[in-house]
Amino acid sequence: MHFRSTLIAASVALLDVANAAQGQLQSVTTFNAGPTKATMHVYIPTKKLSPAPIIVAIHYCTGTASAYFSSTQYATLADTHGFIVIYPESPSSGKCWDVASTASLTHNGGGDSKTIVNMVSYAVTNYGGDATKVYATGSSSGAMMTNVLAGAYPDVFKAGSAYSGVPDGCFYVAGATAGMATPGWNNQCAAGTLTKTAQQWGDLTRSYYPGYNGSYPKMLIWHGTADTTLAYPNFAEDLKQWSNVFNINFTKDVANTPQSAYTQKIYGDGTQLIGYSGQGVGHTVPVHETVDLAWFGIA
């Protein structure tokens, strides 16, 4: 998928924090389950729980598994809490994820989403991962993939945390409407001008897995008001989408949470959907690993 250089450049703006993990990131050369050529990298803590929860941490455009490993603290926290971290790496030339193909947006349909799900299965079989405690998180293009995984594979993932993305399937819908054979980057989605009703967004997510009657992963949605790459209105559209999936309404705002200049937006009773709006924050919102772990129920 082709993403514009603005997204590629801005997506590198993550927390400038050195990873203090005790071990090293491992490239899993024996993983070949496909269907795409995305590669699997893992961090296995020395003191691993048995079975161990699994977090899938998904990089941004131009990113790599190694870059996301180094710029986030998931691996360091794994040393304390004993979970496994999978760092998938995109096979595309620009290192963006396929979040717009029919295959990737269909349960067991293929695409990068299915390859990532196969990585989870590999970790369960080979590393003692807990198939009942699997979580996804990512930044920018990785946030989009987090949404895709939550929508297309709600039977695999229990929770997600998406940093500065767009509504689930936005690039697909916009591209299909424009008659693109292979939907990819779309200016409407990037600018946040593609709006739908909550029902329309929710129906899109539900369409990925026809006949599914189970629960969907609980979601955290993060966005900055000063995002000029994937504009701030995407935040509201994303929250509309998931509020419809969960059939819950906005409840209240909580100021200066989880830190100064952030507003927590609670939906329902706060157990299924929460948004975090960062005042003056650009692309992307810095990763809040400890908030994520609490949301996942790991710490």
Side-chain angles (χ1 to χ4, degrees), residues 204-291:
L204 179 62
T205 295
R206 286 183 287 268
S207 73
Y208 303 159
Y209 194 174
Y212 178 72
N213 294 314
S215 60
Y216 279 81
K218 60 182 187 176
M219 298 296 293
L220 292 183
I221 306 298
W222 304 77
H223 222 107
T225 63
D227 194 328
T228 58
T229 303
L230 296 174
Y232 184 66
N234 282 300
F235 180 57
E237 297 301 300
D238 213 345
L239 288 170
K240 281 162 58 176
Q241 183 171 44
W242 286 109
S243 66
N244 180 264
V245 170
F246 295 125
N247 191 29
I248 55 178
N249 297 315
F250 172 74
T251 301
K252 63 178 179 179
D253 283 337
V254 181
N256 298 314
T257 304
Q259 67 188 73
S260 177
Y262 280 74
T263 299
Q264 181 189 57
K265 305 184 79 66
I266 297 177
Y267 285 74
D269 63 2
T271 62
Q272 294 174 292
L273 177 63
I274 290 178
Y276 286 107
S277 173
Q279 182 63 39
V281 178
H283 193 82
T284 61
V285 172
V287 176
H288 289 65
E289 297 91 341
T290 56
V291 176

Side-chain angles (χ1 to χ4, degrees), residues 98-161:
D98 168 17
V99 295
S101 73
T102 300
S104 207
L105 297 178
T106 302
H107 182 78
N108 288 334
D112 286 342
S113 64
K114 179 58 176 174
T115 302
I116 292 173
V117 167
N118 288 343
M119 292 178 190
V120 171
S121 297
Y122 187 98
V124 170
T125 301
N126 294 279
Y127 302 127
D130 189 341
T132 70
K133 296 179 179 179
V134 181
Y135 315 97
T137 184
S139 300
S140 194
S141 183
M144 299 181 207
M145 178 53 75
T146 296
N147 272 335
V148 168
L149 292 170
Y153 295 93
D155 54 333
V156 175
F157 295 89
K158 302 303 179 186
S161 183

Side-chain angles (χ1 to χ4, degrees), residues 69-85:
F69 166 76
S70 299
S71 64
T72 60
Q73 295 296 305
Y74 295 115
T76 302
L77 291 165
D79 290 332
T80 300
H81 299 288
F83 57 85
I84 294 166
V85 191

Side-chain angles (χ1 to χ4, degrees), residues 11 13 37 54 125 151 163 183 197 199 231 278 287-288 291:
S11 295
K37 294 183 179 180
I54 298 170
T125 301
Y163 290 89
T197 66
Q199 184 70 43
V287 176
H288 289 65
V291 176

Side-chain angles (χ1 to χ4, degrees), residues 177-198:
T177 301
M180 296 172 61
T182 306
W185 174 269
N186 183 272
N187 288 337
Q188 277 188 294
C189 290
T193 58
L194 181 66
T195 61
K196 290 184 173 294
T197 66

